[in-house]
Amino acid sequence: MSLLSRLGLGRPQHPVFARNASYFAGLDHQRPIEEYEFVVFDTELTGLNPRRDEIVSIGAVRIRGLRILLDDTFRAYVKPFHPLPKDSTLIHRITPQQLEAAPPLREVLPAFIDYCGNSLLVAHHIGLDVAFLNKAAKTLYGSPIHNPCLDTMRLAQAYTEMRWEQYHDRFRMNVSYNLAALSAEYALPPFTHHDAFEDALQAAYLFLYLVKKMRSEGVVTLKDLFNAGQTWRWIM
């Protein structure tokens, strides 16, 4: 295989990725948050290093009108190229037997991007998930994913800061931004941890909780939400 082929160059763009790039060319950030569609997702991995580890599961759920659509979800196991490390099985409980008949990422990734469509992507600590998705997308199809992204961890940090500025919980120094800890703190429904679909549901409930709380603080448009998620400051 030539270097150009390995880099995804010198070949027609996959139609799913061509559509993906076109969706967000003129995205209007000024509309109310409830007018946008979101896909909240999670991945299970063989490890945390995008250079050598792989995706073994993707789970996602759609939010429309600030409501979770439980009849419109995405779940897929992914057969990794390399043998599944035993340590990763202990974390996500996915066994080699479960992955033996699973499709490779070359098949799963276009299906997931097609499912996302023109939705904005949401995840907890989303940078890690997107790093793995973009590495695979660039390697297999020569194109990154273009969906704008929101991180529930950063939104939670921004919301905590808003509460501190109003003297609520001002002296709590042990705030945890772990997905499970935040969900417990806000009394959200509990789901199974380290399962891609269940973690996506957990993050979806957290996202809706934060959006609804932050709207009362003036975060009402998509631009407001992006600004809140990108300009948080560490609370020391």
Side-chain angles (χ1 to χ4, degrees):
M1 181 182 293
S2 70
L3 177 61
L4 288 178
S5 296
R6 290 200 303 272
L7 294 176
L9 303 175
R11 63 185 179 195
Q13 188 176 23
H14 191 288
V16 167
F17 286 87
R19 288 196 300 272
N20 179 252
S22 69
Y23 285 143
F24 306 101
L27 180 65
D28 179 5
H29 294 74
Q30 302 294 342
R31 289 156 45 204
I33 297 168
E34 61 268 24
E35 294 185 7
Y36 296 88
E37 191 171 283
F38 303 90
V39 164
V40 188
F41 77 102
D42 184 61
T43 62
E44 294 302 325
L45 312 166
T46 60
L48 301 179
N49 189 332
R51 296 180 62 184
R52 63 170 182 265
D53 292 310
E54 301 177 74
I55 296 171
V56 292
S57 178
I58 302 176
V61 63
R62 194 179 308 281
I63 290 177
R64 183 182 298 135
L66 295 185
R67 298 187 63 172
I68 298 171
L69 305 182
L70 291 176
D71 60 348
D72 188 359
T73 62
F74 184 93
R75 311 186 203 195
Y77 283 133
V78 180
K79 186 174 183 178
F81 184 76
H82 298 99
L84 189 66
K86 292 181 180 179
D87 289 349
S88 68
T89 298
L90 294 175
I91 296 173
H92 49 57
R93 301 174 300 280
I94 299 173
T95 67
Q97 292 73 25
Q98 288 175 293
L99 299 180
E100 187 59 36
L105 194 57
R106 178 179 292 276
E107 297 177 20
V108 174
L109 188 54
F112 176 63
I113 300 306
D114 191 45
Y115 168 79
C116 293
N118 62 354
S119 300
L120 285 77
L121 297 184
V122 179
H124 200 72
H125 193 33
I126 196 169
L128 180 64
D129 298 285
V130 169
F132 274 85
L133 291 175
N134 272 338
K135 176 179 180 291
K138 290 176 182 178
T139 299
L140 295 173
Y141 301 105
S143 174
I145 298 167
H146 292 86
N147 304 62
C149 299
L150 288 158
D151 190 339
T152 50
M153 184 178 71
R154 291 199 172 194
L155 290 175
Q157 290 165 332
Y159 175 56
T160 298
E161 183 174 334
M162 289 177 184
R163 295 168 69 192
W164 277 40
E165 288 175 350
Q166 296 177 359
Y167 304 98
H168 298 305
D169 298 327
R170 185 165 186 173
F171 301 106
R172 288 186 58 209
M173 306 303 292
N174 60 340
V175 179
S176 171
Y177 293 104
N178 174 275
L179 178 59
L182 287 169
S183 298
E185 178 180 350
Y186 300 141
L188 302 176
F191 294 93
T192 303
H193 306 308
H194 299 299
D195 174 285
F197 179 70
E198 298 266 321
D199 279 341
L201 273 177
Q202 191 83 78
Y205 274 91
L206 175 60
F207 176 69
L208 290 179
Y209 176 89
L210 293 171
V211 166
K212 291 173 182 179
K213 290 292 186 180
M214 294 169 77
R215 282 200 299 179
S216 65
E217 303 297 330
V219 179
V220 295
T221 68
L222 182 63
K223 183 177 180 180
D224 295 334
L225 195 61
F226 274 124
N227 287 341
Q230 292 174 359
T231 62
W232 61 272
R233 301 184 297 275
W234 282 107
I235 303 170
M236 303 302 292

